[in-house]
Each structure stands twice: as structure tokens, then as C-alpha cells.
Amino acid sequence: MRVAQLAVLLACLCAAAAAVAEAKTHHHTWNISYQYKSLDCFEKLAVTINGESPGPTIRATQGDTVVVTVHNKLETENTAIHWHGIRQHNSPWADGTAGVTQCPIQPGETFTYRFVVDRPGTYMYHAHYGMQRVAGLDGMLIVSVPEGVAEPFVYDAEHTVLLMDWWNKTVYDQAVGLASNPLKFVGEPQSLLINGKGMFNCSQLANGGGGACNMSRPECGWPTLFTAVPGRTYRLRIGSLTSLSSLSFEIEGHTMKVVEADGYYVSPRVVKNLFIYSGETYSVLVTADQDPSRNYWAASHIVSRIPTKTAPGRAVFSYARNDPRALPPTTQPAGPAWNDTESRIKQSNLFVALPGYVEPPPARADRRLLLLNTQNWIGGHLKWAINGVSLSFPATPYLVAMKQGLRSEFDQIPPPDSYDYKNYDIARPPVANGTVSHPVYRLAMGSVVDLVLQNTNQLNVGPNESHTHPWHLHGHDMWVLGYGEGKFNPEADEGKLNVRNPVMKNTVVLHPQRWTAVRFKADNPGVWLFHCHLEAHVYMGMGVVFEAGVELVPRLPASIIGCGRTKGHHY
């Protein structure tokens, strides 16, 4: 074993031992219901937790157990909640992915999630049923290091920053439009929210929205990010749960030192603005070192899509002794150019693992999957597909079907490991091909797997139109080996991958007209989703499913069973 690996192992064992010694159980009871909300001044139905959207921040310490009892009071709609970034070791049924790890929670039913938070870091939770996340069922989940364990940086206090995008249209309007022929896309969001607040300009609507939009409502407006004491340093735990938008976040006049990404320490890097993609989390350190007699803007801007109809999100970064509600005397930061792809790629390459804190990757993979990301016309509908297969979720969840031996409930033909990369033209993908199915990649337990995500141009849009796709892996973390331009060529690009100090993440970005390579170890028994974290895209099929060691998963809780072929059966 290499010295670096041994040091990481010893550090993890010491932290784990400390965590177990002081482990606690945190109980939460949530009522999930629709409520009228005006998060951006336009009133609409939102999915709430105990009447609020976003939901409460869960806080725990490494090694603690989190227990969340969910009462579905949506009346006519199922639900499920995913604990984003929590690997669910020994509890794969608690991942919260309807159709993959559990039956959805039906109206009037109660379901209890119970899991151990085994790694410190910044995480999130959100709905994982249909496109329900669009409606506001989400929040932050913070896991602290055990008492007495020092982190590799210091700060005086910490705050959470949750970034979202928001539409006037309901989630039902959006889902029906995506399934229609011709397709009606969700369109750009009307607002960007910071910690659940924003401000839509009601004058853009006929008659000012006819009463549905009111810019004087106390529920909306520009929130106070927090109040800073001059000279002190603050840790901001930033998470993005946007449904479509890639963002740039910045604080006027202040730099940010990035120290953590998706629960792993990174070598500190100072940035003016942080590019953050849906599903990602970062910790940044901000020092209150500017003129304390005034307040400053914090702002989020859309990148990678034309933000013609979406105003930036704003919040007030206040200094002590100032009115925290007082708006800054300056105009908000302009933000980077939305189509400056090179700056985003440069920042993606900026982050590497902090030496001594992240286990190095295995030297080589046992298996490589080349995953071609395309738009396809299938059966008269526009879909997203991976290697020609557009993912649909089976009526009987994968995990349940596999444990109960219900082989007919998912496709027994494995999806392709690759595509014809030597001859495929990513600039001119074919218009009509592919199938809609629910297959699964069966991985050898403990094997090392390389995934290469390959972007292509989209259909029915302008020339060279290729979009950004953040991909999230359930149940595992992955080493980010690199990003490349154009089409990945195994023979030519293998040597370009970073196997020395790659950062580990659970969500990784695929840039336009480029490829992204990651490596992970299939060492967590269960069935796990890997998918684009944009709601419209996974709804249209952009995802794959992995299985490894499902025979090692113990007897499933009866509470996750009862849909599809298991409906009415007792196990």
C-alpha cells in the first residue's frame, strides 16, 4: 500500500472511531404538502416540507444516524426523497430514488428513511419522483466532523447558500409539455432564487399578473445572505439544486477560497466567481475585508444557456452595524459572459485533491464504458439517450425486482458498453434512432470502472448547439480524471487523464462538445442511478443504472415494496 493511501486510511479510521464513539440519532418528522408560495413574488403551488420551501437544513455529525419520517399529504401525487451525496452504505433502500431503490410513497402513506452519514461534508436532499424537484421539495444536509477532529482550514462561522431556479409554470405543465408531440420545452426559468427567495418583475406580465404577482409580498425579495463582522472569515456551504440552469455565484468585492467539493477537501483555490452546476456542492472561505460602512451584492447568473428572460439572483452580503436589509449603493455584478465556455473548463481543471485527505484512484480500470449522450427521435417523441437507449423507470423498482427474482420487470439485455467512436460524428448526430427501455449495467463487485461521458450537438437547434450536463452518481463517489475537447479517443486520450491527484465528487459536469472521464469503485452493494441532474433531461431519458453485489444486500424492508409486480404481496 502506498504511503499516501496508508495516511488517508489511518485518518479515515481515526475519524470513524471518533464518530462512532459519539454517534447520535436525529429524528425529523415531515409533512409533504402543496402550499401556495410566492418565493419570487409570483404565487404558485409549491411542494413543501411542513409548509416551507425550501425545506429545513438537516445537521448531523459524521457517524450519526438520520431518521426522517415522511407523511405524504399531497392527496393526488406520489413522492420520494433522495439524500444527495449520502452513499447509503448498508442501506441502499434509503437512497430515495423511485423506480430504482423503492416504490414511491403514495398519497396518505408514511415512509421512514433511516441512514448513517458516514462522511463529513456539504450535501443536499430533494424529491426524486417525476419532476417534483422543480416544485421546491429540497434542502441542505450538513455533516460536521466529530468533535476534536481538525479540518485543514479555519474559519469563524459558517452559513448555507442554496441556489435554485424557479418557473411560473407548474411542474405538471412542464412534464406534460416534455411528453407531448410536438415537444413543448420547459423554457428558461423566470427567476433565480438564493436561499429560497427572489424577485420576479411583475410588470412583465399582462395586468401585472392579475393579482398572482405582487412584488411587495414579504415572502419574496432580495434576502440577506448573512451579516459579517469585519475581519472575520466565514465558511459558505454552497449547493445548487437548479432544475435547468448552470450558474456563476459571486460576492461583490470579495474573493472566495474553495476548500471542499462534494464532501472532499480540495487544494485551496481562490476564485472571483464560482461556476456551480446542478447537484454540486462547494465550501468556500470568505473574509470580510472590505469597507464595512456599506453592504455588498451576492449574485447568481445563468451560464451556458442564453439568459435573455431570467434576471440574476441577488442577496445582500451585510456588514455588522449596517441595516441588513439596506441594498448596496452599487449595481449588481454583471457576471461572466454566458457563453464563455473556456473559463468554465479552466475552473473545472483548477480543482485537485488536497494531499493526504483523498484516497488516490486505482492505477487502472477493470472496465470502461463510453457513454454517448444524444438527443433522439424515438416513436415520434424527442428523447435523450445514452448509447441509443433512453432510460425509463420500471413499475417494479430495480432493487426490489432483483431481490425478489422478478427478472421480467427490467430489460435483461445489457445496454452497450460503447459506441462507434471512430466513425461517429458528434457534430451531426442522426435524427431518429434508439429505443426506450429500462436496462442495467451489471458490474463486478469491487471492480474499478471508468466512465467517459461524450457530449454531442443537439437536434432541431442552431449549428454547433451543445449544452452543459451535470451528471450525478448515486451510492458512490468518483475520481474526476479529466475533461477534453471534441471526441474522446481511448488510444490518444488515455495518457491525458489525471490519476495522480484527482478530486473526488458525486456530481461532475459534461461541458458542451466535450468529454468528461471519471473512475469509481463498484464497492457498494445495490442498484444505483447515474444521470443528468437537469430535471427535464432525466425525465426524457438521460441516465443509466448500475448494479453491483445485489446478492449481498440483506432482506429488504417491507416498506419499500408494494408497487408493480409486488403490489398486494407480503414479503
Side-chain angles (χ1 to χ4, degrees):
M1 181 177 290
R2 287 178 285 181
V3 174
Q5 288 176 308
L6 181 60
V8 172
L9 178 61
L10 289 174
C12 291
L13 289 174
C14 291
V20 170
E22 302 294 334
K24 298 178 181 178
T25 300
H26 304 268
H27 292 272
H28 303 269
T29 300
W30 290 355
N31 293 323
I32 310 299
S33 66
Y34 268 110
Q35 303 288 336
Y36 283 105
K37 290 292 178 180
S38 304
L39 304 187
D40 68 345
C41 304
F42 182 89
E43 187 178 68
K44 59 174 280 190
L45 284 174
V47 179
T48 66
I49 298 173
N50 297 338
E52 297 300 325
S53 174
T57 296
I58 294 177
R59 292 188 178 273
T61 300
Q62 181 184 11
D64 287 354
T65 297
V66 174
V67 181
V68 182
T69 300
V70 176
H71 302 295
N72 183 2
K73 296 183 177 295
L74 292 175
E75 302 293 344
T76 59
E77 189 172 343
N78 298 335
T79 193
I81 300 177
H82 170 56
W83 313 97
H84 187 109
I86 305 301
R87 296 176 294 181
Q88 301 294 350
H89 286 297
N90 302 313
S91 56
W93 47 78
D95 188 55
T97 311
V100 178
T101 60
Q102 71 168 95
C103 292
I105 310 169
Q106 296 182 0
E109 289 189 346
T110 295
F111 184 90
T112 298
Y113 292 98
R114 185 183 185 95
F115 53 89
V116 174
V117 288
D118 66 328
R119 280 196 56 81
T122 305
Y123 306 107
M124 303 178 288
Y125 63 83
H126 58 80
H128 218 304
Y129 174 79
M131 291 179 61
Q132 209 170 68
R133 176 161 58 92
V134 176
L137 202 173
D138 58 20
M140 301 285 286
L141 197 167
I142 307 302
V143 182
S144 301
V145 296
E147 187 176 354
V149 176
E151 295 190 273
F153 46 84
V154 295
Y155 53 93
D156 298 295
E158 70 175 49
H159 301 274
T160 58
V161 180
L162 179 58
L163 306 175
M164 299 164 58
D165 45 14
W166 202 245
W167 282 258
N168 292 349
K169 289 194 301 185
T170 69
V171 63
Y172 292 114
D173 290 327
Q174 296 188 36
V176 170
L178 293 175
S180 297
N181 186 7
L183 175 136
K184 295 180 181 179
F185 192 60
V186 301
E188 303 306 315
Q190 275 65 57
S191 300
L192 297 180
L193 307 182
I194 298 179
N195 285 342
K197 282 194 172 187
M199 184 176 288
F200 175 69
N201 186 352
C202 298
S203 66
Q204 296 182 31
L205 302 175
N207 300 319
C213 198
N214 185 341
M215 297 174 68
S216 64
R217 288 187 173 122
E219 192 178 8
C220 63
W222 309 129
T224 300
L225 198 65
F226 68 95
T227 297
V229 175
R232 293 188 179 177
T233 296
Y234 296 88
R235 179 182 189 170
L236 301 187
R237 295 180 180 267
I238 306 171
S240 174
L241 283 175
T242 54
S243 296
L244 180 67
S245 309
S246 301
L247 300 176
S248 168
F249 177 80
E250 63 182 296
I251 299 175
E252 176 193 10
H254 297 72
T255 58
M256 297 177 286
K257 181 184 290 186
V258 182
V259 294
E260 177 220 343
D262 289 1
Y264 287 89
Y265 300 132
V266 299
S267 291
R269 296 290 187 267
V270 175
V271 299
K272 174 181 177 291
N273 62 290
L274 177 70
F275 293 113
I276 184 168
Y277 307 92
S278 179
E280 288 190 319
T281 65
Y282 289 94
S283 282
V284 303
L285 302 182
V286 178
T287 299
D289 57 3
Q290 298 300 301
D291 178 6
S293 67
R294 52 157 292 198
N295 293 340
Y296 296 81
W297 287 114
S300 61
H301 296 84
I302 288 180
V303 294
S304 189
R305 301 181 67 89
I306 303 175
T308 53
K309 297 181 180 180
T310 310
R314 284 190 273 180
V316 176
F317 180 83
S318 175
Y319 272 75
R321 298 186 180 180
N322 299 335
D323 181 350
R325 298 165 298 178
L327 300 183
T330 52
T331 58
Q332 65 187 30
W338 71 269
N339 57 353
D340 184 2
T341 305
E342 293 305 319
S343 290
R344 301 199 301 276
I345 295 171
K346 182 178 179 180
Q347 190 173 105
S348 293
N349 285 311
L350 189 64
F351 302 127
V352 295
L354 183 63
Y357 285 89
V358 180
E359 179 186 357
R364 60 188 59 84
D366 301 304
R367 183 176 177 183
R368 174 188 285 143
L369 303 179
L370 301 182
L371 304 177
L372 180 69
N373 200 92
T374 58
Q375 266 189 344
N376 303 68
W377 283 104
I378 303 174
H381 294 269
L382 189 62
K383 296 286 187 179
W384 285 100
I386 303 300
N387 290 352
V389 180
S390 183
L391 180 67
S392 65
F393 296 109
T396 306
Y398 281 96
L399 180 61
V400 175
M402 290 184 186
K403 291 300 291 182
Q404 303 300 336
L406 304 174
R407 295 172 57 86
S408 63
E409 293 304 287
F410 59 95
D411 196 341
Q412 296 300 304
I413 300 175
D417 276 19
S418 185
Y419 69 100
D420 184 9
Y421 63 88
K422 292 185 178 179
N423 298 307
Y424 192 94
D425 186 354
I426 63 171
R428 298 176 180 82
V431 174
N433 62 17
T435 60
V436 176
S437 185
H438 29 260
V440 59
Y441 286 100
R442 312 298 289 257
L443 307 177
M445 184 63 188
S447 63
V448 177
V449 183
D450 276 3
L451 307 173
V452 181
L453 295 161
Q454 177 65 61
N455 215 338
T456 62
N457 282 348
Q458 294 181 224
L459 302 178
N460 295 340
V461 290
N464 295 323
E465 188 77 16
S466 177
H467 281 226
T468 299
H469 304 287
W471 277 76
H472 172 58
L473 178 60
H474 291 226
H476 305 78
D477 297 312
M478 46 192 170
W479 291 277
V480 183
L481 303 184
Y483 308 87
E485 187 173 358
K487 188 168 55 175
F488 180 82
N489 184 318
E491 292 78 17
D493 293 323
E494 177 76 27
K496 301 176 183 178
L497 303 180
N498 175 20
V499 295
R500 183 173 62 89
N501 60 353
V503 65
M504 289 197 81
K505 299 181 92 272
N506 60 63
T507 302
V508 65
V509 62
L510 175 60
H511 291 290
Q513 297 172 331
R514 285 164 171 80
W515 54 264
T516 297
V518 300
R519 178 171 294 172
F520 79 101
K521 193 172 184 180
D523 56 0
N524 191 7
V527 188
W528 309 103
L529 183 62
F530 182 47
H531 64 103
C532 178
H533 209 255
L534 305 185
E535 283 288 77
H537 290 183
V538 68
Y539 188 79
M540 296 167 67
M542 194 188 297
V544 298
V545 174
F546 298 130
E547 176 276 328
V550 73
E551 69 280 359
L552 302 177
V553 174
R555 183 181 178 88
L556 301 180
S559 57
I560 73 164
I561 303 172
C563 58
R565 282 276 302 281
T566 65
K567 188 174 183 179
H569 292 261
H570 299 284
Y571 294 91

